[in-house]
Amino acid sequence: MLMCTFLAAGPTVALVQIAMDFGGGANAGLAAMIPQVAFFFTTSALTQGTGNRIWQPLINKYGKQP
């Protein structure tokens, strides 16, 4: 859960630079790329958070069995 916080808040500082890198430069539709990059980071953070709902019960039930 700690990593979800850093994943959601960390890249916001470099969001424009990441959009420029993925979009092919400053003139390649930067206004359309910024929401796509933000969506990528948001969905990956949500996936990490909701993944615990699936894996944690399995870990508690089966644990480290030989």
Side-chain angles (χ1 to χ4, degrees):
M1 295 305 259
L2 180 67
M3 293 307 290
C4 292
T5 305
F6 290 120
L7 183 64
T12 57
V13 177
L15 203 63
V16 175
Q17 184 64 40
I18 293 169
M20 285 174 27
D21 290 344
F22 285 139
N27 298 330
L30 188 61
M33 284 300 296
I34 290 176
Q36 291 178 357
V37 172
F39 179 74
F40 170 72
F41 285 117
T42 302
T43 54
S44 58
L46 286 173
T47 304
Q48 281 185 347
T50 57
N52 287 331
R53 302 277 235 173
I54 297 168
W55 290 111
Q56 196 60 45
L58 291 172
I59 291 169
N60 287 339
K61 181 173 177 133
Y62 297 111
K64 294 182 179 180
Q65 294 181 355

